[in-house]
Amino acid sequence: MTSTAHSQVVQKQFGEQASAYLSSAVHAQGAEFALLQAALAGHDQARVLDLGCGAGHVSFHVAPLAGEVVAYDLSQQMLDVVGAAAAERGLGNITTVRGAAERLPFADGEFDFVFSRYSAHHWSDLGQALREVRRVLKPGGVMAFIDILSPGTPLLDTYLQSIEVLRDTSHVRDYSADEWLRQVSEAGLYTRSLARQRLRLEYQSWVERMRTPEVMRGAILELQRAMGDEVREYFEIEADGSFSTDVLVLWAER
């Protein structure tokens, strides 16, 4: 699949679900928001890029502490939701720009911070996107990425990628910690820290948020039941399909 064809899948998948992501508890809540806000302490004039902003939750949390926030996403429907919600909340320093993560329409060194949350696993070329992040960051600029993390071992990785793509055909890959560290380094960025969090996903809302077709929902549940104890225990799979997964919180700087 070409990058253009994949971008069309992403736009279709998320454009139709834009409002659902604004109200999603998984996306609206998280301990990582406090970490992003803390990073902005003393930087009230900072320019922040919310890369792959989705429904704009990162933008809404950091805008009161920053000079300007650019909410950037491939889906115009998502950006429309962000723009409307920002206006309702009186966050006039949020602007929206549409485009792909691999081709940022910004000048070199425009941003003090680049934040990205639950978006990178949809990108067709993570390495290229990270090189673009480095380009648009000022020297000494900071990036933070939060995303679903692959456990890394072949069995657990295969299972995770399988349920992800069954649920959402715009999924590309959940990367392991080693894969993240390598690609960040190759992009010319210096990793400051990498931490893991645990995320509980309630099955019904997880599939309904993406309007996963019934045949795919059934396949996910059948796959869960067919897997061995190692997989079921690691992901804490319950009878109703709910499960837990790892989340990466990675900080790096230019």
Side-chain angles (χ1 to χ4, degrees):
M1 181 184 295
T2 65
S3 59
T4 300
H6 177 68
S7 71
Q8 292 171 348
V9 174
V10 173
Q11 291 177 69
K12 181 178 187 300
Q13 287 289 92
F14 285 92
E16 295 174 355
Q17 280 74 250
S19 295
Y21 274 78
L22 180 63
S23 58
S24 164
V26 169
H27 291 81
Q29 302 170 13
E32 62 272 12
F33 287 124
L35 300 176
L36 300 180
Q37 290 170 332
L40 286 170
H43 300 279
D44 58 354
Q45 297 303 308
R47 194 158 190 249
V48 180
L49 175 62
D50 181 3
L51 181 55
C53 66
H57 297 296
V58 167
S59 294
F60 303 148
H61 278 84
V62 303
L65 304 171
E68 180 186 0
V69 177
V70 177
Y72 183 81
D73 201 89
L74 192 58
S75 166
Q76 185 59 51
Q77 292 97 320
M78 282 288 192
L79 294 175
D80 291 343
V81 166
V82 174
E88 289 174 3
R89 301 176 192 206
L91 299 172
N93 62 336
I94 295 177
T95 58
T96 61
V97 177
R98 180 180 174 275
E102 296 86 356
R103 297 179 301 279
L104 300 181
F106 308 110
D108 296 357
E110 276 201 42
F111 294 96
D112 301 283
F113 296 89
V114 175
F115 296 152
S116 184
R117 182 173 180 262
Y118 296 134
S119 179
H121 59 276
H122 297 289
W123 301 344
S124 59
D125 190 334
L126 177 62
Q128 176 59 27
L130 290 172
R131 289 189 289 275
E132 281 288 271
V133 167
R134 184 188 185 282
R135 181 182 64 78
V136 302
L137 273 174
K138 295 177 181 178
V142 173
M143 77 163 215
F145 273 61
I146 296 102
D147 204 12
I148 302 298
L149 181 67
S150 167
T153 62
L155 173 61
L156 299 177
D157 178 77
T158 296
Y159 167 78
L160 178 61
Q161 311 300 340
S162 297
I163 63 165
E164 286 271 48
V165 78
L166 285 169
R167 181 233 182 193
D168 171 15
T169 54
S170 72
H171 175 73
V172 174
R173 178 161 183 78
D174 296 322
Y175 297 92
S176 69
D178 286 345
E179 289 172 318
W180 270 104
L181 291 171
R182 175 177 56 80
Q183 297 218 48
V184 166
S185 177
E186 290 176 353
L189 294 157
Y190 168 72
T191 298
R192 297 201 314 196
S193 67
L194 184 152
R196 285 179 172 83
Q197 298 179 169
R198 196 74 168 162
L199 177 67
R200 190 68 183 165
L201 291 166
E202 191 273 321
Y203 172 79
Q204 199 62 33
S205 61
W206 182 64
V207 293
E208 287 182 357
R209 187 163 54 249
M210 191 47 68
R211 299 183 187 178
T212 304
E214 287 297 330
V215 64
M216 300 297 202
R217 298 185 190 195
I220 292 169
L221 294 173
E222 285 298 325
L223 181 59
Q224 288 181 334
R225 286 191 283 266
M227 299 306 297
D229 289 345
E230 180 181 354
V231 170
R232 288 198 296 270
E233 290 172 4
Y234 187 89
F235 291 100
E236 301 173 316
I237 299 169
E238 296 183 4
D240 69 350
S242 299
F243 65 98
S244 297
T245 189
D246 294 324
V247 172
L248 162 105
V249 180
L250 185 144
W251 292 85
E253 63 184 53
R254 178 179 172 183

